[in-house]
Amino acid sequence: KKSSIFSLAFFACTLLFSQQDETLFGKNGLRLTGAWGGTNIGLTHFRDEGAVTNGGFLGLEFNKLVLIGFGGMETSESVNFSQNVPGSFDFDCGGFLVQFTPRSHRVLHPKFSFLMGGGEVKVKDADNDDVFVVQPGAGAEVNIFRWFRLSLEASYRFVSGSDLEVLSDKDLSGLIWDLKFRFGWSWGK
C-alpha cells in the first residue's frame, strides 16, 4: 500500500514538474517568422533648412512582432547652411534597427521603430565629422499585399558628438516624416 501511494505521488510530481522549459529560441521563445527589407523617403530639417532624405533597411522578423536588422538614411542633396553662414553639407547615418509591429495581422496597425548608430556630416570644403545618432519613431502601417507593406512614420533624430563650429548637435537633430515601403514575407502562424 505504501509503495502504491509513493508511486502515485511520484507520478503526480512528475506531471507537475514536467512542463517544457522556456527558452530564448525555440517553441516558446523567439521564432524566425520572416525576412523584410525596403526603402524610405522622408522630409526633415537641419537648423532652419528643410531637406529630403532617402534610405533603406533590411532585417529578420521574429514572432511576427519584432524586426531586427540594419537601416540608414542620407540627405538626397546638399543642405545649405542658414543665410549667415556660407556653404553646404551632406548628412548620413545608419546602424542597428529594431521595429515593433503589434497586431501586424490587421490591415492597419501601429508601428514603432528605433535606430541607433553612427553618422557623418560632410561639409563642403572642410573635414568630415563623425556623430552618434539615436532615432526613435512611431507611425501606422498598412498591409497592401502579403509581401508589401506601406507605412507613414514620424521620428526624431537625436545627434551627439558634433565637433563642427558651424553646426551643433541641436542643429543636426530634428523631426523626420518618413514614407516607408517594406517588401518581404512572413511565414508560419
Side-chain angles (χ1 to χ4, degrees), residues 101-150:
T101 52
R103 303 176 61 85
S104 63
H105 63 283
R106 300 278 188 174
V107 172
L108 179 63
H109 52 270
K111 183 177 176 188
F112 304 94
S113 62
F114 181 80
L115 174 71
M116 179 176 66
E120 185 176 37
V121 184
K122 301 170 193 163
V123 180
K124 185 178 180 183
D125 300 327
D127 290 335
N128 297 344
D129 187 27
D130 293 327
V131 295
F132 182 73
V133 178
V134 173
Q135 186 173 305
E141 185 173 65
V142 177
N143 297 343
I144 306 295
F145 297 106
R146 188 166 179 182
W147 50 269
F148 173 55
R149 298 178 180 180
L150 182 66

Side-chain angles (χ1 to χ4, degrees), residues 5-163:
I5 293 173
F6 178 76
S7 297
L8 187 60
F10 178 76
F11 182 71
C13 287
T14 304
L15 284 177
L16 285 173
F17 296 108
S18 67
Q19 296 175 355
Q20 184 177 359
D21 292 336
E22 290 185 9
T23 60
L24 181 60
F25 297 98
K27 186 175 182 182
N28 295 324
L30 289 178
R31 291 175 294 113
L32 180 64
T33 57
W36 294 87
T39 63
N40 54 285
I41 184 166
L43 296 173
T44 189
H45 72 278
F46 298 93
R47 199 180 278 169
D48 296 326
E49 298 296 323
V52 175
T53 64
N54 55 50
F57 57 94
L58 184 63
L60 298 175
E61 177 188 77
F62 295 92
N63 296 6
K64 296 193 179 263
L65 187 64
V66 177
L67 182 92
I68 299 173
F70 296 94
M73 58 78 76
E74 64 184 4
T75 53
S76 58
E77 56 186 41
S78 294
V79 179
N80 294 318
F81 289 120
S82 60
Q83 295 177 356
N84 58 349
V85 180
S88 62
F89 70 95
D90 294 305
F91 180 84
D92 64 62
C93 68
F96 178 70
L97 173 70
V98 176
Q99 293 180 348
F100 178 67
T101 52
R103 303 176 61 85
S104 63
H105 63 283
R106 300 278 188 174
V107 172
L108 179 63
H109 52 270
K111 183 177 176 188
F112 304 94
S113 62
F114 181 80
L115 174 71
M116 179 176 66
E120 185 176 37
V121 184
K122 301 170 193 163
V123 180
K124 185 178 180 183
D125 300 327
D127 290 335
N128 297 344
D129 187 27
D130 293 327
V131 295
F132 182 73
V133 178
V134 173
Q135 186 173 305
E141 185 173 65
V142 177
N143 297 343
I144 306 295
F145 297 106
R146 188 166 179 182
W147 50 269
F148 173 55
R149 298 178 180 180
L150 182 66
S151 63
L152 180 62
E153 293 182 43
S155 57
Y156 195 87
R157 181 185 57 255
F158 294 96
V159 176
S160 64
S162 174
D163 295 325

